[in-house]
Amino acid sequence: MDKNLQNRVRNISEKRVLVAPLNWGLGHATRCVPIINALLAENKEVVLASDGHPLQFLKKEFPSLQTIEFTGINVKYSKKNSQGWAMILQMPKFAYSISKEHFILKKIVQQYNIHAVISDNRFGLWHKKIKSIYITHQIGVKVSRNIHILNKVACLVHKLFINRYSECWIPDFEGENNLSGELSHKYPLPRNCHFIGILSRFSDIRQNNSELPEYHNVGIVSGVEPHRQILADKLLSLFEKTDQPSLIISGQPTEYQKVIHKNNVTIVPHLETAKLATAIITAKQLFCRSGYSTLMDITVLGRKNACLIPTPGQTEQEYLAQKAENIGFTSLEQSKFWILDNVGKGKIAVVTGANGGFGLQIASGLAQKGTKVVLACRNEQKAMQAKQHIENAVQNADIDFISLDLSSLNSVRNFVEMYTQRYSKIDILVNNAGILFVPHKVTKDGYEQIFQTNYLGHFLLTNLLLPLFPDSYSSKIIFQSSVMYKMGKIRFYDFNLDRGYSKWKAYSQSKLALMLFALQLQRNLAQSGKKIQPVLSHPGISLETDIVKNQTIRKLAQKVCSFFSQSAQKGAQSAIVAALSNEIKSGDFIGLDGFVQGKGNPVKISISSKATDKAVAEQLWKVSCAATEFDDL
């Protein structure tokens, strides 16, 4: 137990204490568990008050304590992604409910002889004549992503309620090493506020000490309707598509706990504390909300990764998910998240251009799933630094390096020769390497360097490695493209752009060529009955990549593009999803759902007719075979 919490509880001299959490999901009730335990340790008489699932949960955790059904605010959430108008339209109901619960509290205090009250985020549970304590992690309320004045107004209103209480307890650490970030550390705090450390019912659980079958995928469903059920259905649909044992905890504690088995998925309404801790600790992949109580639980159990799915439109959860990405978590929208197969030991991936930017993050992401990754890079020093970086970040990472310079066809052949000496197969190839802002230059092979590096080198590399792929749907060839392919044109008469060079013209041509190649390869493999799957991906815009060599241009881009760009780690997710998700099929194009495809979450996107022109693709294939001296027989 945190000493700050212990000290605050010891300061409560009153004997009989009412604990009343908000009924919006289970989180407010679960985080009250350590507070209730602390009160009981001080020999307090505790009375519990809530309704619905939170009350059922508290009854299960503390069967000997007196309980009161105390109805709270019955909020209704929209099924859409924005809850702003839904909340605004319910403001009159909220005001009435707060006034009503304040009135009911007075009756409860008198009827049950209550000496102090602890309210977890219930605005109306303050009392002038007894000690009233309010718990919240969100002093600075986030009600809007973009309209900051609304957040300031909400903060001021919230402080008015906080000031009605004797004390306000904040379940977080004071200082920079905190969990709530701007929610409790941005604005000046009211004088009655005290940090009490993280609250979790798992605080006394330090290791896996409960017998529970080991599940590959574990989904913890929480929140208010209809989004609790929407998430449960989404997880079930995705888990059923895998062959891995999966568990869904539906967040519905009731007296009758019915367990449902659907193929490889087990669905339980609720798990007791020790078993839930085991499920969280042992899960290969954990899916859950980014609610604050959930994040506290994960933190206490020492889990370093999970797929966080914010409740749509809950700005607070969206902020917390985004903040958690900085320490290695994944954040995905409820309507757009993917199951990533655990590639596991024995599978091998090659990632070109893996010494920095997107390539480094793709290699790291694959290594996290247990894949052996071969870094195919031109610069050995940078490659070894990347290898060290991944090995430091990913426990038991298996990383190798083989030199590859895509601007040299001899280097490509040497790479394949070296690779076949070390390995007998390849499961995933990520054609990621690319250059953009470079002057006009013709390689020793006689081709413009952007065209050869981005396309022609990958054409030869892919075809030479193709015989090493197992004939399986899990064999993936990922082509890292760009939306700039739409601006491209294949100049069969002038690949080298001798008649008028432009960096963007060269880049867009190379990316269109890569798209045409990928889709032609898909058709060729399908016609021959092969299961190998070529897939296209687009990472968006990141200022952390090495594609822009010129430092002046890079600094200018950082100023101009920052509002529609994202981190290399986030951009790498489209290629990782393309490589590992069993929902992605041959010929799919995985892009982003954000502004101008510059940022966002992975999502399937359409392909322009420019890339689906079979006549151009077939002609390009023949020309490329001749250019690389590849015998396509």
Side-chain angles (χ1 to χ4, degrees):
M1 183 190 304
D2 189 279
K3 290 183 178 180
N4 291 319
L5 172 60
Q6 195 173 44
N7 291 335
R8 298 320 309 174
V9 169
R10 286 175 177 173
N11 285 339
I12 299 175
S13 59
E14 293 78 5
K15 181 67 175 175
R16 195 164 167 82
V17 182
L18 179 75
V19 178
L22 187 68
N23 64 343
W24 293 7
L26 288 178
H28 295 281
T30 62
R31 72 186 191 185
C32 282
V33 169
I35 293 175
I36 296 168
N37 284 328
L39 290 168
L40 294 175
E42 295 295 321
N43 296 316
K44 304 297 183 184
E45 296 177 11
V46 180
V47 180
L48 307 176
S50 191
D51 66 327
H53 291 145
L55 183 59
Q56 291 295 326
F57 166 78
L58 291 173
K59 284 181 177 181
K60 285 181 175 294
E61 289 289 316
F62 303 99
S64 63
L65 296 185
Q66 184 177 7
T67 59
I68 302 170
E69 185 163 352
F70 189 175
T71 304
I73 299 173
N74 184 21
V75 64
K76 291 184 179 180
Y77 277 83
S78 168
K79 289 185 178 182
K80 299 180 181 179
N81 287 341
S82 175
Q83 305 300 335
W85 284 109
M87 296 297 104
I88 290 173
L89 292 174
Q90 294 178 82
M91 282 301 177
K93 182 173 73 172
F94 292 164
Y96 171 76
S97 296
I98 292 169
S99 176
K100 182 179 178 181
E101 71 177 8
H102 179 62
F103 177 76
I104 294 174
L105 175 66
K106 293 179 180 179
K107 289 187 174 182
I108 290 175
V109 167
Q110 185 175 5
Q111 181 179 348
Y112 293 90
N113 191 29
I114 301 298
H115 304 148
V117 58
I118 298 177
S119 162
D120 191 321
N121 264 102
R122 296 182 72 156
F123 288 177
L125 301 193
W126 52 275
H127 197 289
K128 290 182 178 180
K129 295 182 179 180
I130 65 173
K131 189 165 194 170
S132 307
I133 300 168
Y134 181 72
I135 300 173
T136 184
H137 63 273
Q138 194 175 184
I139 303 296
V141 182
K142 284 187 175 291
V143 296
S144 173
R145 300 185 192 94
N146 304 313
I147 308 176
H148 301 299
I149 187 65
L150 288 181
N151 295 332
K152 291 183 178 181
V153 171
C155 179
L156 290 173
V157 173
H158 195 199
K159 285 182 177 181
L160 290 176
F161 283 103
I162 291 173
N163 287 329
R164 292 177 180 268
Y165 288 81
S166 311
E167 297 180 15
C168 174
W169 293 358
I170 303 173
D172 197 3
F173 301 114
E174 191 172 8
E176 293 183 1
N177 187 22
N178 62 73
L179 192 62
S180 62
E182 293 181 0
L183 300 180
S184 290
H185 297 268
K186 183 177 181 179
Y187 299 105
L189 299 179
R191 293 181 180 179
N192 61 345
C193 287
H194 307 276
F195 288 98
I196 59 171
I198 287 177
L199 295 177
S200 172
R201 57 175 154 158
F202 304 125
S203 296
D204 296 327
I205 297 176
R206 299 303 177 194
Q207 59 183 355
N208 172 16
N209 56 6
S210 173
E211 292 185 4
L212 187 78
E214 188 169 312
Y215 293 97
H216 186 280
N217 302 309
V218 172
I220 302 175
V221 181
S222 60
V224 295
E225 300 295 355
H227 289 291
R228 188 206 61 80
Q229 188 61 51
I230 292 172
L231 178 60
D233 293 342
K234 177 74 173 178
L235 287 173
L236 176 60
S237 175
L238 290 178
F239 286 0
E240 283 186 316
K241 293 176 182 177
T242 73
D243 295 326
Q244 305 289 354
S246 303
L247 174 68
I248 296 176
I249 303 107
S250 60
Q252 295 177 298
T254 58
E255 293 182 5
Y256 176 60
Q257 297 291 296
K258 183 180 180 181
V259 178
I260 300 173
H261 298 280
K262 291 190 175 182
N263 300 319
N264 60 310
V265 183
T266 301
I267 305 171
V268 297
H270 179 69
L271 281 182
E272 61 184 49
T273 297
K275 288 185 177 181
L276 180 57
T278 298
I280 292 172
I281 293 169
T282 61
K284 296 295 187 298
Q285 294 194 98
L286 177 66
F287 297 80
C288 57
R289 293 292 189 200
S290 54
Y292 190 69
S293 297
T294 301
L295 292 179
M296 287 194 291
D297 288 342
I298 293 174
T299 300
V300 164
L301 291 175
R303 178 124 193 160
K304 303 298 183 182
N305 57 74
C307 178
L308 304 177
I309 308 157
T311 300
Q314 281 201 12
T315 316
E316 169 216 352
Q317 288 194 19
E318 292 168 353
Y319 165 75
L320 289 171
Q322 186 177 19
K323 184 176 183 291
E325 284 184 340
N326 298 327
I327 55 174
F329 287 79
T330 301
S331 169
L332 296 171
E333 291 184 27
Q334 179 169 283
S335 59
K336 301 166 185 174
F337 69 89
W338 314 85
I339 292 290
L340 303 185
D341 298 333
N342 191 344
V343 178
K345 294 181 180 180
K347 291 204 172 184
I348 307 173
V350 172
V351 181
T352 67
N355 61 338
F358 293 127
L360 174 59
Q361 296 301 329
I362 293 168
S364 181
L366 294 175
Q368 286 179 355
K369 297 300 179 183
T371 319
K372 179 180 181 63
V373 182
V374 178
L375 310 181
C377 310
R378 178 174 56 85
N379 188 311
E380 181 174 357
Q381 182 180 357
K382 289 185 177 180
M384 297 312 293
Q385 290 174 350
K387 181 177 184 295
Q388 187 66 50
H389 172 83
I390 297 172
E391 289 172 344
N392 290 340
V394 180
Q395 188 175 10
N396 299 322
D398 191 357
I399 309 297
D400 194 5
F401 160 69
I402 301 178
S403 178
L404 172 65
D405 182 357
L406 289 162
S407 67
S408 167
L409 297 180
N410 278 336
S411 177
V412 174
R413 295 187 183 94
N414 291 337
F415 172 88
V416 174
E417 182 180 355
M418 181 66 72
Y419 184 89
T420 54
Q421 289 175 6
R422 297 185 190 180
Y423 307 104
S424 60
K425 68 163 187 171
I426 177 174
D427 299 284
I428 299 169
L429 170 62
V430 183
N431 290 321
N432 165 77
I435 57 175
L436 170 54
F437 290 109
V438 294
H440 185 269
K441 179 183 176 181
V442 176
T443 68
K444 291 180 180 180
D445 297 302
Y447 299 99
E448 187 274 321
Q449 63 174 334
I450 292 180
F451 184 74
Q452 180 163 334
T453 302
N454 294 6
Y455 165 66
L456 208 54
H458 282 127
F459 176 87
L460 181 60
L461 176 68
T462 302
N463 279 297
L464 292 178
L465 288 175
L466 199 59
L468 299 180
F469 279 91
D471 188 20
S472 166
Y473 289 123
S474 63
S475 294
K476 297 281 189 73
I477 304 173
I478 311 304
F479 295 85
Q480 189 83 299
S481 187
S482 163
V483 291
M484 282 299 297
Y485 83 90
K486 295 179 181 180
M487 309 298 292
K489 179 181 179 181
I490 304 300
R491 296 167 175 82
F492 290 104
Y493 56 88
D494 186 24
F495 279 134
N496 290 349
L497 302 177
D498 294 326
R499 303 180 186 181
Y501 178 78
S502 153
K503 297 178 181 69
W504 287 110
K505 191 186 294 185
Y507 183 74
S508 59
Q509 176 181 243
S510 72
K511 289 302 180 181
L512 175 58
L514 201 65
M515 295 281 292
L516 289 162
F517 168 42
L519 296 176
Q520 184 60 37
L521 178 62
Q522 177 213 2
R523 290 188 286 268
N524 291 350
L525 290 170
Q527 288 171 5
S528 62
K530 298 290 185 181
K531 298 176 182 177
I532 304 167
Q533 301 196 74
V535 180
L536 295 149
S537 66
H538 166 53
I541 299 171
S542 175
L543 308 178
E544 300 173 2
T545 70
D546 294 329
I547 195 169
V548 182
K549 302 294 184 183
N550 187 290
Q551 292 299 317
T552 302
I553 296 176
R554 180 179 293 185
K555 289 180 180 179
L556 178 62
Q558 288 174 340
K559 294 181 179 180
V560 175
C561 304
S562 59
F563 73 96
F564 59 83
S565 63
Q566 61 187 2
S567 68
Q569 181 186 25
K570 184 79 171 178
Q573 294 305 308
S574 56
I576 294 172
V577 165
L580 300 182
S581 175
N582 64 350
E583 292 188 83
I584 307 303
K585 304 304 179 185
S586 184
D588 283 343
F589 190 10
I590 310 305
L592 304 168
D593 61 359
F595 179 60
V596 297
Q597 286 288 311
K599 63 191 302 185
N601 294 310
V603 63
K604 292 182 184 180
I605 60 176
S606 60
I607 300 175
S608 167
S609 58
K610 270 193 173 185
T612 58
D613 191 318
K614 293 181 181 180
V616 174
E618 289 173 358
Q619 184 180 356
L620 179 64
W621 186 285
K622 292 177 182 178
V623 171
S624 300
C625 286
T628 59
E629 298 180 359
F630 173 70
D631 190 3
D632 185 27
L633 294 178

